[in-house]
Amino acid sequence: MSGHLTVAEAGESATIAAIQKAAPSSLNGDDAAVLHPTSSNSRHVCTTDVLVCDRHFSFLYSTAYEVGVKAVSQNFADIQAMGARPTAILLGIATPGDTDLGVISDLARGINDAAQPWGAELVGGDVVLSTDLVLSITAIGELGGPAAALTLGGAGVGHRVIASGPIGYSAAGLDILRHYGSREAIPKEDAIAQELVQWHCAPRLEVERGTVARAAGASSMTDNSDGLVRDLSMIAQRSGVRIDLNRSAITPDSTLLHAAEITGVDPWEWVLTGGEDHTLIGTTDARLPTTYRPIGMVRSRVAGDETTPYVTVDGVRPAYTKGWESLR
Amino acid sequence: MSGHLTVAEAGESATIAAIQKAAPSSLNGDDAAVLHPTSSNSRHVCTTDVLVCDRHFSFLYSTAYEVGVKAVSQNFADIQAMGARPTAILLGIATPGDTDLGVISDLARGINDAAQPWGAELVGGDVVLSTDLVLSITAIGELGGPAAALTLGGAGVGHRVIASGPIGYSAAGLDILRHYGSREAIPKEDAIAQELVQWHCAPRLEVERGTVARAAGASSMTDNSDGLVRDLSMIAQRSGVRIDLNRSAITPDSTLLHAAEITGVDPWEWVLTGGEDHTLIGTTDARLPTTYRPIGMVRSRVAGDETTPYVTVDGVRPAYTKGWESLR
């Protein structure tokens, strides 16, 4: 590549060429990308996230490659939470002119690597100048077959609450990073701390958890992005129900207890409000989909009763309830 | 709405609610939006643009409503340039916390109004904090029927070069704004100046120009976003041809001559390098699609001959050739 050129020195064509080299796609390079359906009842599903440097990610803690991986994981989690299969990514970059071209390449490489297990690819984008480094990631997925998408509003009383993947690991990883002050300061031999930091910086989701849940007849789904209580509250609100979590099913495991010892943080805070794991969480009145575990039950809720929370733990208000608020 | 609340005062939920009120869509509000195909051989087409305040638009010259209209027009032009029909928009906003909530509402209202003639809608998005106001717009469209998409690479020797819509009007409008220093200073009675400024601030494209061109058998297409010479050079490069513009067909009209008198700018600069009209330009070896006019011919080009430009005017190198460069 071009050594230590900045994006301003490289210019638009060379910057786009570096991205296309790191994340090649034959669909990229025209006015817009054409996505071919792969199923007979194909519907497309789309979502977008905006990530601002030093607010949603930090190069103090993460490499550009990891930022690319995480950006894909969080958007693909939204696609999966509809029961769909991610197929394509669009990447918008607003960047200071003095950003090293290598940072942009590494970011694209992370996106490419995280998309590959899905057979998905980076099909288009835009690069412009700005003060902050701002990434805009759009993910597109495909929903095939006769079944409806998995929405927030499908939970019914008596359904089981289910999850696939860790809960609270990303937030624990962030607190470990804050505790040590840098990635390098974390003891290399502390494999648990390293694993949690990995979950924070570059979570890699197992593929097809959304399609598997939809095929198994799940009734609602979202991902743990803003915090378990907050995200499940969305399902409860839309479905007009209460979600009661089983305390023993979400009790901090030995990995989180280890992180709690290091940081002095109550691990229940990570579990209940951490978010950013992008673990799929939802409900079902059918069989448990593969890799999912039961973590609670859907209960009835009196409409208009504002004294009962939407999410309880063993029937009572959770110890922590706040979650990520993007404009505060 | 909420008077003069800032987005930080309003918070995430109220800001999203204001956007959804200004641009209502039943597809919006879940983890991702589901887009249903409307044709039997449906392929989806997607594109994204990032717009930075005071770089790609300015509230000195444009209202937030107009910024929304223009953002849709420029992205829908890319969808149309594939021969597709725009169906959906995703909007990412990174904003300073002290931005008035009304600005965000007006922006969404502009997006909604510009999308409506297409039957398209704002189906999702994200709102976060940042230093600059940065908008990321993703447009999705649908390509139906058996024909291929209109790409950059389909121009053949002997095809006619065609255009639908004005060329150079947006750049002339910008120079008029710069000349007068503000929107208010432009004489109200100067209808021509007002029209050109409108083309710069909120271009409104006639609907279905892309599908009409594809139905009529056009061979290649793009839109005039970075400048006529630059955009046609992309078609010429990808197609391995030279595009020869007919000087008389692109000669500045009385509208541009009026603007040239006011500003002292050579109107050929607007025509050849202005861009941002988002007029559809392309080639055809079939009949002229409705609303299109011929503006030149596709000629042969010796491969590897770097002395001959990709685009000529009456056989010679154009007087102006530069165009918009997003990282300089």
Side-chain angles (χ1 to χ4, degrees), chain A residues 2 4 8 29 50 65 80 100 127 129 136 171 262 273 280 302 304 313:
Chain A
S2 328
H4 285 285
V50 181
Y65 177 89
Q80 288 187 87
D100 195 298
V127 188
L129 290 183
S136 127
I262 294 172
T273 69
L280 291 183
V302 180
V313 178

Side-chain angles (χ1 to χ4, degrees), chain A:
Chain A
M1 213 74 262
S2 328
H4 285 285
L5 278 183
T6 66
V7 294
E9 287 163 356
E12 186 175 357
S13 302
T15 300
I16 291 172
I19 293 171
Q20 288 177 327
K21 188 177 172 189
S25 169
S26 65
L27 302 177
N28 197 353
D30 216 298
D31 292 297
V34 179
L35 307 178
H36 290 263
T38 62
S39 57
S40 48
N41 180 25
S42 172
R43 287 142 286 170
H44 278 73
V45 174
C46 54
T47 183
T48 197
D49 270 327
V50 181
L51 309 175
V52 180
C53 188
D54 294 327
R55 184 164 170 83
H56 300 95
F57 61 89
S58 164
F59 290 135
L60 284 177
Y61 293 158
S62 303
T63 63
Y65 177 89
E66 289 174 330
V67 171
V69 169
K70 183 169 182 167
V72 170
S73 290
Q74 74 181 65
N75 274 277
F76 278 16
D78 284 328
I79 298 291
Q80 288 187 87
M82 303 304 289
R85 176 184 294 113
T87 55
I89 301 156
L90 296 164
L91 170 65
I93 303 176
T95 176
D98 62 2
T99 299
D100 195 298
L101 185 58
V103 167
I104 305 299
S105 279
D106 286 350
L107 179 74
R109 209 162 43 81
I111 287 172
N112 187 65
D113 286 3
Q116 249 172 9
W118 303 86
E121 56 196 86
L122 182 65
V123 300
D126 193 18
V127 188
V128 302
L129 290 183
S130 65
T131 309
D132 297 320
L133 176 60
V134 180
L135 307 175
S136 127
I137 308 267
T138 299
I140 297 175
E142 193 181 314
L143 199 64
L150 297 179
T151 62
L152 297 166
V157 174
H159 295 189
R160 283 189 289 183
V161 183
I162 57 174
S164 175
I167 295 173
Y169 279 28
S170 176
L174 177 58
D175 278 338
I176 286 172
L177 281 165
R178 285 175 174 153
H179 174 79
Y180 285 107
S182 78
R183 193 80 169 261
E184 294 68 36
I186 303 169
K188 289 268 173 303
E189 65 278 12
D190 188 343
I192 294 175
Q194 296 289 352
E195 183 198 349
L196 290 171
V197 167
Q198 193 63 34
W199 268 104
H200 177 70
C201 295
R204 280 184 186 266
L205 308 174
E206 211 188 324
V207 298
E208 302 290 16
R209 289 312 96 201
T211 44
V212 160
R214 180 165 167 259
S219 54
S220 74
M221 191 143 284
T222 190
D223 75 302
N224 179 23
S225 52
D226 295 339
L228 185 64
V229 172
R230 197 172 170 130
D231 290 317
L232 286 177
S233 290
M234 286 295 288
I235 288 183
Q237 279 185 41
R238 293 291 179 86
S239 302
V241 297
R242 171 169 64 91
I243 283 179
D244 188 39
L245 292 166
N246 187 338
R247 186 182 165 92
S248 67
I250 57 169
T251 293
D253 62 11
S254 59
T255 298
L256 291 182
L257 292 177
H258 177 79
E261 244 173 66
I262 294 172
T263 60
V265 174
D266 180 355
W268 277 103
E269 192 171 346
W270 296 325
V271 168
L272 294 170
T273 69
E276 285 206 294
D277 297 311
H278 303 297
T279 288
L280 291 183
I281 48 181
T283 60
T284 187
D285 60 344
R287 68 176 173 80
L288 208 59
T290 306
T291 75
Y292 284 78
R293 62 189 183 279
I295 61 168
M297 287 295 286
V298 180
R299 306 292 185 188
S300 64
R301 187 172 188 282
V302 180
D305 170 13
E306 293 307 320
T307 59
T308 310
Y310 281 103
V311 173
T312 52
V313 178
D314 282 359
V316 300
R317 189 179 297 273
Y320 303 94
T321 57
K322 71 160 184 54
W324 174 261
E325 160 64 54
S326 84
L327 295 179
R328 290 279 154 78

Side-chain angles (χ1 to χ4, degrees), chain B residues 153-160 219-220 239 241 283-285 297-299:
Chain B
V157 174
H159 295 189
R160 284 189 289 182
S219 53
S220 74
S239 303
V241 298
T283 60
T284 188
D285 59 345
M297 287 296 285
V298 180
R299 306 291 185 189

Side-chain angles (χ1 to χ4, degrees), chain B residues 72 76 86 89 110-122 204:
Chain B
V72 170
F76 279 15
I89 301 156
I111 288 173
N112 187 66
D113 286 4
Q116 247 170 13
W118 302 87
E121 57 197 85
L122 181 65
R204 280 184 187 264

